[in-house]
Amino acid sequence: MKRIGLLTSGGDAPGMNAAIRSVVRTAIYYKMEAIGIFRGYDGLINEEMKILDHRSVSNIINRGGTILKTDRSDKFRTVEGRRRAYEAIKKNDIDGLVLIGGDGTYRGGYIFNKECGVPCIGVPGSIDNDINGTDYTIGSDTAVNTALEAIDKIRDTATSMERIFIVELMGRSSGYIAINAALSGGAEDVLIPERKYDMRQLCQDIVAGNLRGKVSWIVIVAEGVAKAGDIAKIITETTTLETRVVTLGHIQRGGSPTAKDRILATRLGSEAVNLLRKGMSAKAVGVIGSKLNIVRLGSAVTKRSTAVNSLYRLIKILT
Ligand code: F6P
């Protein structure tokens, strides 16, 4: 293995830059060349790439986003797109790929490896924390902390003006950010894709709380469940209480990564290079507990769902 290609693909996540730095510097340490591929799989198809030296990844460990840019490639979903990507790999003497991204990135790498045999290693980068084979994905801790910071601020105004706030957080099919931000932010309820919700019960809880003298509420809703505005409308119509809506949106994808995300990214980026050096292919790296964990890329492409029931119960006990 002389030359390793690396790319980031799918939604960006804080800590991707720390992973890039780790891949590049580990490769250089072992006398290999690292070639950065820009704009995900599209950049591979279009041969948008350049050699990254030690200095090119200086001062990025603390930066959100990805210096390699990222994209969700439609072309790479086609046989023709992947054929062109393979040609680019051969032409540029790339011996193996490190793919930093979420389940879509993994699926692309899995098919590509099956079709062309190019060694591929997946590094989990996604705020959603929904990838098999790892307890955490790079970016998920930062996203929860970003959401928490917002909830803390919302609480100040919610209690002062005695209002009900519905806060919409990211997660189309994953309630990881929502339930963890709800638990750490002391929210009264949370609506997530992994769990059926009951609007009647929620409204009854609010009315009962109101009769006890409880005057402000924070209800978190994951974007995949419903629009915060629709939930607020039902609450106001049913309880006659005043509601306000906050949709946090892409703020959750940005910002300087937490120490936890940087450490994870640094460990996993380096391990991905180690696996390629050892001749391994079609694997994904992760952590289980405090230990590194290696799984087949094929088994990591299916989404993992957050274990939510005990966390949800705790939120309701404490409300
Ligand atoms: O990367 C994951 C994610 O942030 C999800 O939580 C969210 O549903 C989605 O990406 C948003 O995608 P886009 O940036 O394309 O709007």
Side-chain angles (χ1 to χ4, degrees):
M1 183 88 25
K2 290 200 183 92
R3 184 182 262 194
I4 288 175
L6 68 146
L7 59 80
T8 49
S9 156
D12 51 281
M16 279 183 164
N17 278 328
I20 292 167
R21 172 181 178 269
S22 180
V23 170
V24 169
R25 292 198 171 166
T26 305
I28 292 170
Y29 179 86
Y30 288 111
K31 313 268 180 278
M32 292 182 284
E33 227 167 25
I35 181 156
I37 299 158
F38 291 85
R39 298 182 180 79
Y41 290 122
D42 262 6
L44 181 56
I45 292 168
N46 300 330
E47 280 185 72
E48 286 184 73
M49 47 183 91
K50 77 165 188 205
I51 290 172
L52 299 176
D53 62 14
H54 199 275
R55 294 280 284 285
S56 67
V57 291
S58 296
N59 304 319
I60 65 166
I61 194 166
N62 56 330
R63 277 169 54 192
T66 157
I67 59 162
L68 291 178
K69 316 276 183 193
T70 183
D71 202 358
R72 296 190 175 102
S73 172
D74 287 332
K75 282 190 208 144
F76 199 70
R77 291 200 183 99
T78 66
V79 175
E80 171 59 12
R82 292 192 295 274
R83 189 191 60 73
R84 282 177 57 194
Y86 181 64
E87 276 170 14
I89 295 259
K90 289 286 126 203
K91 194 170 149 197
N92 290 279
D93 293 325
I94 295 171
D95 302 312
L97 286 174
V98 175
L99 309 167
I100 306 166
D103 58 313
T105 307
Y106 277 23
R107 263 195 300 280
Y110 176 69
I111 296 171
F112 191 54
N113 170 266
K114 267 192 126 178
E115 284 176 355
C116 312
V118 174
C120 290
I121 305 290
V123 174
S126 165
I127 61 165
D128 288 337
N129 199 22
D130 58 352
I131 297 179
N132 266 317
T134 187
D135 284 347
Y136 297 103
T137 55
I138 297 161
S140 54
D141 185 59
T142 308
V144 169
N145 278 289
T146 301
L148 178 60
E149 210 182 308
I151 291 167
D152 286 349
K153 289 183 172 140
I154 291 164
R155 179 176 293 286
D156 290 343
T157 176
T159 50
S160 304
M161 295 202 69
E162 306 188 327
R163 281 171 170 163
I164 299 169
F165 270 81
I166 317 301
V167 184
E168 186 178 316
L169 298 181
M170 267 189 166
R172 256 193 299 251
S173 54
S174 164
Y176 180 82
I177 297 173
I179 195 141
N180 285 289
L183 187 63
S184 54
E188 276 72 21
D189 215 324
V190 56
L191 279 47
I192 43 174
E194 292 84 348
R195 232 187 141 268
K196 272 195 184 153
Y197 67 97
D198 180 348
M199 273 316 288
R200 256 186 51 187
Q201 184 63 52
L202 176 57
C203 292
Q204 275 172 18
D205 287 352
I206 291 173
V207 170
N210 199 251
L211 291 174
R212 291 195 312 268
K214 183 171 173 52
V215 286
S216 71
W217 286 69
I218 295 178
V219 177
I220 309 291
V221 52
E223 63 171 332
V225 173
K227 290 266 150 255
D230 295 340
I231 300 292
K233 196 161 171 267
I234 298 172
I235 293 174
T236 304
E237 281 170 3
T238 317
T239 66
T240 71
L241 295 168
E242 203 174 356
T243 52
R244 289 290 185 273
V245 166
V246 174
T247 301
L248 206 57
H250 287 76
I251 285 172
Q252 292 157 98
R253 284 245 292 267
S256 181
T258 58
K260 189 170 165 179
D261 275 334
R262 295 184 203 191
I263 292 164
L264 183 67
T266 302
R267 289 178 75 197
L268 298 188
S270 189
E271 183 61 9
V273 175
N274 284 334
L275 295 186
L276 285 175
R277 278 177 55 228
K278 289 177 191 160
M280 291 200 199
S281 175
K283 304 280 184 218
V285 291
V287 283
I288 300 291
S290 60
K291 292 211 171 78
L292 288 171
N293 189 49
I294 319 294
V295 294
R296 285 181 299 108
L297 197 54
S299 71
V301 294
T302 49
K303 284 195 181 228
R304 174 173 65 80
S305 103
T306 303
V308 290
N309 285 342
S310 62
L311 299 186
Y312 185 78
R313 196 171 131 68
L314 190 50
I315 288 168
K316 293 316 290 176
I317 287 172
L318 300 178
T319 300

